[in-house]
């Protein structure tokens, strides 16, 4: 199933890259194709955040920061837009006042795409959005192996009376049985916690931790090998909170934590995942108001491109 020849990036010699409507990487809109293998889906929602707001403006900002992307990935040796039909599916229509209603709308939109055999690369939005996205992916693929890049655990319980918020998506996912408790991995964790019991709760939710300190003590290749062993052969969902990067590399996020990964070592880690069966992913928590020179927007936009390139190399595509 799919288009005979994928439609790639906009090719209008008279129109500069900085002109025109900013779809992701100047790719076609979903309405312009008969089938999408991969859909970039914006989710402008940040009502689940517990500190600095503003990630609702993340999807448009990320799109704007990828106008200059070129079509060939020289490290992975792939043309990700030639080997699969990638589209911009626009934004989910989601309001800011009712978290439960927003989560339901996101899941409905995601399921609609997944049921068409389309893999989603979501642009957040705060990390709340990962829960409905994982629900949709698990409905099609069964319990997921989860690779979670983040400064924080996000396996907490309730906050200010809310059980679904940006600190709880993976706890709720574990409780619902949509993730495989033997194949889940945090990477880059370093944020403060209130009590050691939170680490025990995290283990019960199925996660092992590779903290940010590991990148000082170990080779990236060894960390990648550890990740791959943990994920195994299950369908993989990758969730990227941009605060996995140090604030020097990504200041525009709601809950920044010092001592994080550099962009280069993070991208190198992602590139080591080629061949995994990636069935869905997200890049979240980009809050443009706190950015400087577009560095967070650029990082997030390129992380999404790395994920699209990995999907193109997925062993089960």
């Amino acid at each position: 199933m799919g288009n005979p020849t994928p439609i790639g990036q906009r090719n209008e010699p008279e129109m500069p890259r900085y002109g025109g409507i900013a779809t992701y990487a100047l790719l076609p809109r979903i309405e312009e194709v008969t089938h999408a293998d991969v859909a970039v889906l914006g989710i402008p929602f940040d009502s689940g955040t517990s500190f600095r707001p503003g990630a609702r403006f993340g999807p448009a900002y990320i799109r704007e920061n990828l106008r200059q992307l070129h079509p060939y990935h020289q490290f992975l040796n792939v043309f990700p837009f030639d080997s699969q039909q990638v589209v911009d599916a626009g934004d989910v229509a989601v309001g800011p006042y009712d978290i439960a209603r927003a989560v339901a709308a996101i899941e409905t939109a995601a399921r609609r795409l997944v049921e068409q055999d389309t893999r989603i690369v979501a642009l957040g939005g705060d990390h709340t959005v990962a829960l409905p996205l994982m629900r949709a992916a698990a409905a099609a693929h069964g319990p997921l192996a989860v690779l979670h890049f983040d400064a924080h655990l996000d396996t907490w319980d309730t906050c200010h009376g809310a059980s679904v918020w940006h600190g709880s998506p993976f706890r709720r996912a574990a409780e619902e049985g949509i993730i495989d408790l033997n194949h889940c991995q945090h990477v880059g964790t370093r944020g403060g916690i209130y009590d050691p019991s939170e680490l025990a709760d995290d283990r019960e939710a199925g996660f092992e931790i590779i903290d940010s300190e590991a990148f000082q003590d170990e080779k990236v290749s060894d960390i990648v090998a550890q990740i791959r062993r943990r994920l195994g052969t299950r369908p993989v969902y990758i969730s990227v909170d941009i605060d996995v990067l140090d604030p020097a590399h990504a200041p525009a996020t709601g809950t920044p934590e010092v001592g994080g990964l550099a962009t280069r070592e993070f991208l190198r880690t992602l590139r080591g995942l080629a061949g995994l069966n990636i069935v869905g992913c997200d890049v979240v928590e980009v809050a443009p108001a706190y950015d400087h020179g577009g560095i967070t927007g650029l990082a997030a936009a390129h992380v999404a491109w790395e994920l699209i390139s990995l999907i193109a190399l997925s062993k089960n595509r």
Side-chain angles (χ1 to χ4, degrees):
M1 186 176 183
N3 301 288
T5 302
I7 302 172
Q9 295 171 285
R10 187 184 72 200
N11 183 19
E12 299 177 16
E14 300 303 316
M15 175 65 77
R17 289 178 177 267
Y18 51 80
I21 296 173
T23 59
Y24 180 86
L26 304 182
L27 289 165
R29 291 177 289 108
I30 195 168
E31 297 85 1
E32 299 179 70
V33 304
T34 58
H35 172 74
D37 298 306
V38 179
V40 178
L41 181 66
I43 309 178
F45 175 82
D46 66 0
S47 298
T49 192
S50 59
F51 194 49
R52 303 194 307 196
R56 67 183 63 180
F57 300 109
Y61 187 64
I62 294 170
R63 289 181 175 106
E64 189 64 39
N65 276 279
L66 208 64
R67 286 179 174 270
Q68 194 175 312
L69 181 73
H70 291 83
Y72 176 64
H73 196 306
Q74 62 179 309
F75 297 102
L76 292 177
N77 188 27
V78 65
F79 288 92
F81 306 139
D82 288 353
S83 58
Q84 57 189 352
Q85 181 60 68
V86 187
V87 301
D88 192 319
D91 288 351
V92 178
V94 56
Y97 301 125
D98 187 326
I99 293 178
R101 182 176 179 180
V103 166
I106 296 164
E107 183 177 351
T108 297
R111 280 180 179 259
R112 189 178 299 122
L113 290 167
V114 169
E115 288 167 0
Q116 298 172 20
D117 194 27
T118 299
R119 303 196 183 194
I120 297 170
V121 177
L123 309 178
D126 74 48
H127 223 150
T128 308
V129 308
L131 178 59
L133 292 168
M134 288 187 292
R135 285 173 176 168
H141 301 283
L144 307 166
V146 174
L147 176 56
H148 173 219
F149 293 96
D150 201 325
H152 308 94
L153 300 173
D154 287 4
T155 51
W156 290 293
D157 194 359
T158 61
C159 182
H160 300 296
S163 62
V164 176
W165 56 294
H166 78 158
S168 71
F170 302 104
R171 186 184 188 116
R172 301 285 88 88
E175 292 169 349
E176 294 176 18
I178 62 177
I179 64 176
D180 188 322
L181 303 188
N182 296 311
H183 297 284
C184 293
Q185 180 73 65
H186 297 304
V187 179
T189 310
R190 63 192 182 276
I193 59 176
Y194 291 99
D195 189 85
S197 63
E198 296 172 18
L199 296 173
D201 290 345
D202 188 71
R203 288 190 293 272
E204 187 174 342
F207 283 87
E208 291 186 354
I209 295 174
I210 298 173
D211 59 32
S212 61
E213 293 289 304
F215 286 83
Q216 301 300 310
D217 301 329
E218 302 177 35
K219 295 179 181 179
V220 171
S221 58
D222 291 338
I223 291 173
V224 168
Q226 183 178 345
I227 293 170
R228 296 182 73 103
R229 285 194 298 270
R230 178 64 178 170
L231 296 177
T233 59
R234 291 215 54 80
V236 176
Y237 186 93
I238 300 179
S239 187
V240 178
D241 186 326
I242 205 63
D243 74 18
V244 71
L245 297 175
D246 190 88
H249 297 264
T253 189
T255 48
E257 300 281 356
V258 298
L261 277 61
T263 307
R264 182 169 56 192
E265 62 189 2
F266 179 38
L267 295 184
R268 188 175 174 194
T269 302
L270 287 174
R271 290 167 187 165
L273 303 176
L276 295 178
N277 179 23
I278 300 168
V279 299
C281 42
D282 62 63
V283 182
V284 299
E285 298 285 354
V286 175
Y290 312 109
D291 213 5
H292 306 289
I295 59 175
T296 312
L298 283 167
H302 280 269
V303 166
W305 182 56
E306 297 287 340
L307 295 170
I308 291 169
S309 298
L310 290 172
I311 292 172
L313 296 172
S314 177
K315 61 184 178 183
N316 288 340
R317 285 300 303 168

